[in-house]
Amino acid sequence: EVQLVESGGGLVKPGGSLRLSCAASGFTFSSYSMNWVRQAPGKGLEWVSSISSSSSYIYYADSVKGRFTISRDNAKNSLYLQMNSLRAEDTAVYYCARRSIAAPGVSLWGRGTLVTVSS
Amino acid sequence: QTVVTQEPSFSVSPGGTVTLTCGLSSGSVSTSYYPSWYQQTPGQAPRTLIYSTNTRSSGVPDRFSGSILGNKAALTITGAQADDESDYYCVLYMGSSWVFGGGTKLTVL
């Protein structure tokens, strides 16, 4: 089955760190650029970060630049998001999202993992 | 800072047609932004409807269509059904980033 499964979410104190993982299956992970997209409670979707298929190109939203690091391990079919210096406003469901090969756009979404930053 | 605009809410009658739009706070939306559209119901992950302006994602019925109307991207739903009641998000590709609109809450009544 073609799917993305996120893990690693949880409760963390402000200033703390968390590492999210996304396990891909059912498709050739190494051929696709990947993204993280988040959604704060009751709010809209926000793009967080992108990484190209070979990790050559990496981009971040201004809101997380310098604090979050995206990476991938094609041998393990996995995508990661290392989140440091977490703030209350980082509280959100984090979705792993596969970019379409044909054009910019998401072709596959994970179910998301909730990150709560609170003391 | 780039702001992508969407109608906060819209309503449509069952069987009716509705067009949701996606604009830019400054400038016009063109195919060069590869506009895409996503549907989301509460508590669920988003579902991809349209990418690259007008290409339907696999399994999406043809009553969902995308286009450029004037200076905005548009998502048209024809023959609206009760289960189309959802939040709809557009996103524009800026080369090194993606910018989501604030979403449109569609009510079918």
Side-chain angles (χ1 to χ4, degrees):
Chain A
E1 181 184 0
V2 175
Q3 62 178 356
L4 299 169
V5 179
E6 302 92 337
S7 60
L11 176 63
V12 61
K13 288 181 168 53
S17 298
L18 212 54
R19 188 195 197 207
L20 305 184
S21 299
C22 171
S25 59
F27 64 96
T28 306
F29 178 72
S30 60
S31 295
Y32 291 84
S33 294
M34 298 294 296
N35 299 270
W36 289 100
V37 175
R38 69 183 180 182
Q39 186 170 36
K43 302 297 185 182
L45 298 169
E46 179 189 15
W47 170 77
V48 173
S49 182
S50 296
I51 185 169
S52 63
S53 57
S54 61
S55 304
S56 297
Y57 300 97
I58 289 176
Y59 305 105
Y60 298 98
D62 287 344
S63 58
V64 307
K65 200 173 293 182
R67 300 187 299 121
F68 289 11
T69 302
I70 191 172
S71 63
R72 64 190 295 162
D73 186 335
N74 287 342
K76 294 184 178 179
N77 292 330
S78 293
L79 175 73
Y80 306 102
L81 186 67
Q82 177 67 44
M83 303 185 296
N84 299 331
S85 303
L86 282 161
R87 307 165 179 166
E89 54 264 35
D90 296 318
T91 295
V93 175
Y94 285 74
Y95 294 103
C96 174
R98 185 188 76 180
R99 176 185 150 146
S100 168
I101 278 185
V106 174
S107 58
L108 180 67
W109 294 84
R111 292 193 173 193
T113 187
L114 176 63
V115 172
T116 302
V117 184
S118 175
S119 54
Chain B
Q1 182 181 351
T2 301
V3 176
V4 176
T5 61
Q6 295 185 249
E7 299 87 357
S9 62
F10 228 116
S11 64
V12 62
S13 300
T17 296
V18 62
T19 297
L20 311 181
T21 68
C22 175
L24 277 171
S25 55
S26 177
S28 299
V29 176
S30 68
T31 56
S32 300
Y33 288 99
Y34 298 94
S36 53
W37 292 89
Y38 306 90
Q39 177 191 49
Q40 188 182 37
T41 52
Q44 301 295 315
R47 170 197 182 198
T48 300
L49 296 175
I50 300 286
Y51 62 92
S52 193
T53 305
N54 55 14
T55 302
R56 267 185 299 277
S57 185
S58 176
V60 174
D62 59 6
R63 56 197 187 78
F64 291 91
S65 62
S67 64
I68 299 291
L69 286 181
N71 62 351
K72 296 182 179 181
L75 173 71
T76 299
I77 307 171
T78 57
Q81 301 178 358
D83 60 4
D84 294 336
E85 186 161 295
S86 302
D87 294 324
Y88 291 84
Y89 295 92
C90 72
V91 64
L92 301 181
Y93 178 64
M94 301 297 180
S96 60
S97 66
W98 293 6
V99 181
F100 280 89
T104 296
K105 185 176 184 61
L106 180 67
T107 301
V108 180
L109 51 72

